[in-house]
Amino acid sequence: MSVEIETPASVPRQNDPVLQTTAATNLVNPVDGPIIRFPPFPQAPEGVQIMPFKDFEEGGICMDPGPNDAEVDTFGVPTVPLRPQHSTDVCKTNTKRKRRAEEMQARKKGGLGAKKLLWWEEWQEREVARVSVGFDSHSTRFERIHAAAADFTSGRSWPLDFESESGPRFIWEKFQRYIGVSDGSPAPSGKKSKVFKEQAAAEQEEEEMSDVEDPDEETPEDPMAGIVLDKALPAAVKTQAQLAEKEDKLLAFFESPEKSIRIFLTSYGRVMGYIWSEPNLECMGRVLEFFVNYLLRSKVVPEIERSLRRSLDILAVSIKELPNTSALAKVNPDPFSQACTNCWGRKSEGYSIVELDLSHLPQNPPNVPTASKVEEVSNETESKENNASGWGDNSGWASGNAESGGGWGEGTIDASTDLNAWGEPSTIEEQISQWDVLKPKTLLELLGPTALPLTHTTGIVEQSIRRIKSIIPPPANPAKSAPLGEGIFDPDVDAVENDLDRQFAKVILEPMLDWDGGDYPVYARPTILETSVGAVADPNAPEAAEGTPKAYDPYKDEITLLVVPTPGNIALMSEGMGLGGVWVQIVRQDNAVVKKKKKGKSKSKRTIPSYWYLEELAMTTPSFWAV
C-alpha cells in the first residue's frame, strides 16, 4: 500500500535527493518541502502497540454510572464537561442527577411544585461543571491549593439553616484552618521563610517603583533598611510564626492527604468537639468529598492525585458511619443487654434508671393545691387587683360572675373533674402517670419462660474498647434442642444456649489496644473490674501447660456479643467500628445440669460457647479511625 500526498509541480518529486534522505531517516518534511510518501512508515516508540484500524471499536458513553455516580465511557474513563454550554449537553448516563432532573420535569408537567432538595443535592446539580480557574499551573502547590480553596468557597450556595458551631460552612472553615489555608493570609512559599520576608519584599517593591518614576535620580541608601523597630517586633514575629505553622500544616496534608482527612474526621474532630453535633456528623464527609473531587477535577495538585483518590473511599464510608456512631449510642445497650443487667445487677459504677413508686403517695397531698384551690386563690387575687386599679365588679369588662358565665370566665370548675381549665391532670398521680416511665426490660419479654438465670451467671467483667471483626446473623433454620429424658426436670444448659443461638445475632469483637495513642487512658488498655469472676491471664506469666483450662486474656481473646437482630441496630454496625464500654461474660453455673449423650453418639466434646452482653456503652468510633 502506498500513500502519496501531492505538492505543487514546481517541487521536485521522485528523483529529489532531499526526498530520498527523508524516506531513509523516517522524518516528516517541512511544510514547504516535497511530498511525503509511505511506506516505509515511521517506527513506533518502544513499548507502544499500534492498533490496526480494522480492530478498532468505537466506545461511547456508558449507560451505567461509574464510581461515585460519575458519567463514564465504555472504557470506564470519566467524561470531562465542556466550559462552553450547549443545548445538547445533557447527561447520557443513568445517574442520580439525571433521574432527579427527570423527576423534577415530571412534577412540573403534573402541576406539582418542585421538590425541595437538600443542600448537598443542590450542590450535585451544578458541581460537575465547577472547576478552579484562579490559579497558575506554574505556581507552587501552596499557592495553587490556596486559590482552589478560595474558588471552592465562592459562588456556592451555603446553607444557612444551621445553628452556630455546626453545619457545612462551619466544618469547611475548620478544615481550612486544619490544613493551613484559612483567614485569607498569603500562601507560604514552600520553603522556610526568613524572618521579616514580607517586609523585605515590600521595601524591594517600593524601591523598584521609585526607580521607574525617576531613573536618573540617585536615592541614598537608607541606613535603617532591614532593621525592625522594637515596637514592630512582636507583630512581625507573630506573623512569621503563623506562616511557619500554616506551612507545616500544608506539608502534612501534601505528604498524605488520605491520612490527614482520616485524622480530621476522627481523632481531631473528637478533640475539637465537632463530632458531638449530629449536623456535623451528617455533613463532614460530604463537604470534604466535594472538595476532594473539586481538586481532582481541576487538576490543582496532580502530584498528590493518587492519595486524594484513595481518600474518596474513606469519605464514602464516613458519610455512612459517622452518623451511625451517634445512632448506635442511642440504641445500645440493646433490650437483651438491659434485661441481663436487670437480672444479674450492675457490675460497674455508673448511672442507673430509678423507678418511681407512687403507691404510697396520697390522693391530694396537703402541701399541693388542687385545681379548685388554685382557682379560688386566683379569683381572690384578681378581685383585689381589679378593686385596687379601679376596675370594679360593676365595670363593663368584668360584669357578671363565674356562676352565670359572664365576663371572661366560663363558669366555675368542679374540683371532681379530671381536668382543670388548661386541660391538665388535677392530681400528682395523674400527672406522673402521663410521664413515659421506662419499664425495666426482662428476659421473659425476649426469651419467654427461660431458665437462663438458673443455668448461667456472670463471669469476666471488662472495661475496654473493642473493634467489630464480624457480624453473624441468627441462623435461618435453627436446630431444635433435643427433649429431656424421663424423670429429668432440671433445666438443660445446652437447650438454653441453643435458644440464645437461635434468637440473637452475634457480634465478634477483637481487642483495640492503644486506640487513641494513650491520650484516653481509661480505654487505652483493657481493665478487669472488681466484680469480675474467673481466671484472667497475666500478660507477663508463661503460657499454661497443655490440657489445663485456659484463662481469659483480654489482650488477645475475642468476645461474642449477643444482640437483638433488629434492623435499627445491626444495620448501624460495620466491620472495623469501635465500641467502648463495659462487657460482661455469661458463663455456666457450677451446678448446671448438662444432658448426657446417648450411647453410640460421638464422644467429641462440644465447645462451650462464651457469650457476652453490653452493660454500658461509653463511646463509638468509625472504622477508619486514625490518630
Side-chain angles (χ1 to χ4, degrees), residues 139-424:
S139 59
T140 65
R141 55 182 181 176
F142 296 89
E143 296 170 340
R144 278 178 276 150
I145 197 168
H146 266 75
D151 290 347
F152 181 82
T153 306
S154 62
R156 188 181 297 274
S157 58
W158 294 92
L160 303 177
D161 55 343
F162 286 90
E163 297 180 357
S164 61
E165 305 295 322
S166 65
R169 187 60 182 263
F170 171 78
I171 292 298
W172 169 238
E173 292 175 354
K174 296 304 180 182
F175 181 73
Q176 289 184 92
R177 180 175 300 177
Y178 168 75
I179 64 175
V181 296
S182 62
D183 66 31
S185 57
S189 62
K191 299 179 181 179
K192 291 296 180 181
S193 305
K194 298 180 180 180
V195 182
F196 320 129
K197 180 178 179 182
E198 292 184 353
Q199 182 178 356
E203 294 175 355
Q204 182 180 1
E205 182 180 358
E206 182 179 357
E207 182 180 355
E208 292 176 356
M209 292 180 61
S210 62
D211 292 341
V212 172
E213 293 176 358
D214 192 358
D216 298 331
E217 182 181 355
E218 295 184 2
T219 305
E221 185 177 355
D222 187 2
M224 299 296 293
I227 300 177
V228 181
L229 300 179
D230 293 342
K231 61 180 181 180
L233 183 61
V237 172
K238 182 179 179 180
T239 302
Q240 181 60 28
Q242 292 176 350
L243 289 174
E245 182 183 3
K246 291 176 60 177
E247 185 174 337
D248 292 338
K249 291 179 178 180
L250 277 171
L251 286 174
F253 177 76
F254 289 140
E255 182 179 356
S256 179
E258 178 190 7
K259 183 179 179 180
S260 182
I261 290 175
R262 289 171 58 196
I263 293 175
F264 178 81
L265 295 174
T266 55
S267 59
Y268 182 83
R270 181 183 182 85
V271 172
M272 300 302 293
Y274 307 151
I275 66 173
W276 308 123
S277 173
E278 291 192 10
N280 290 342
L281 296 176
E282 294 284 349
C283 71
M284 287 175 70
R286 296 190 184 277
V287 171
L288 299 192
E289 185 182 43
F290 277 107
F291 179 62
V292 171
N293 281 321
Y294 188 75
L295 294 179
L296 293 173
R297 188 167 55 249
S298 305
K299 302 291 184 182
V300 177
V301 278
E303 53 267 37
I304 60 172
E305 183 173 334
R306 181 173 299 179
S307 183
L308 281 175
R309 293 195 180 277
R310 287 198 303 266
S311 68
L312 290 176
D313 298 333
I314 300 297
L315 292 171
V317 175
S318 70
I319 294 175
K320 171 189 175 183
E321 290 189 2
L322 285 180
N324 287 352
T325 55
S326 175
L328 275 174
K330 296 178 180 179
V331 297
N332 282 286
D334 72 331
F336 175 72
S337 294
Q338 295 179 26
C340 290
T341 302
N342 294 329
C343 177
W344 288 299
R346 293 189 61 86
K347 305 301 178 182
S348 64
E349 296 180 359
Y351 67 90
S352 60
I353 300 175
V354 179
E355 299 179 28
L356 299 177
D357 185 10
L358 308 178
S359 59
H360 65 283
L361 294 178
Q363 181 70 17
N364 291 322
N367 59 343
V368 180
T370 60
S372 59
K373 294 182 180 180
V374 171
E375 183 186 7
E376 292 175 3
V377 174
S378 62
N379 290 338
E380 293 177 1
T381 305
E382 181 182 358
S383 176
K384 293 179 180 179
E385 291 177 353
N386 292 338
N387 293 332
S389 59
W391 299 102
D393 294 339
N394 296 327
S395 63
W397 289 97
S399 61
N401 52 37
E403 295 180 358
S404 60
W408 294 96
E410 296 181 355
T412 58
I413 300 177
D414 187 3
S416 61
T417 58
D418 293 337
L419 301 178
N420 58 18
W422 297 100
E424 298 175 353

Side-chain angles (χ1 to χ4, degrees), residues 460 526 528 534-544 549-557:
I460 305 297
I528 304 299
V536 180
D538 185 359
N540 300 323
E543 295 184 1
K550 181 183 178 183
Y552 172 73
D553 189 350
Y555 293 88
K556 298 179 181 179
D557 292 347

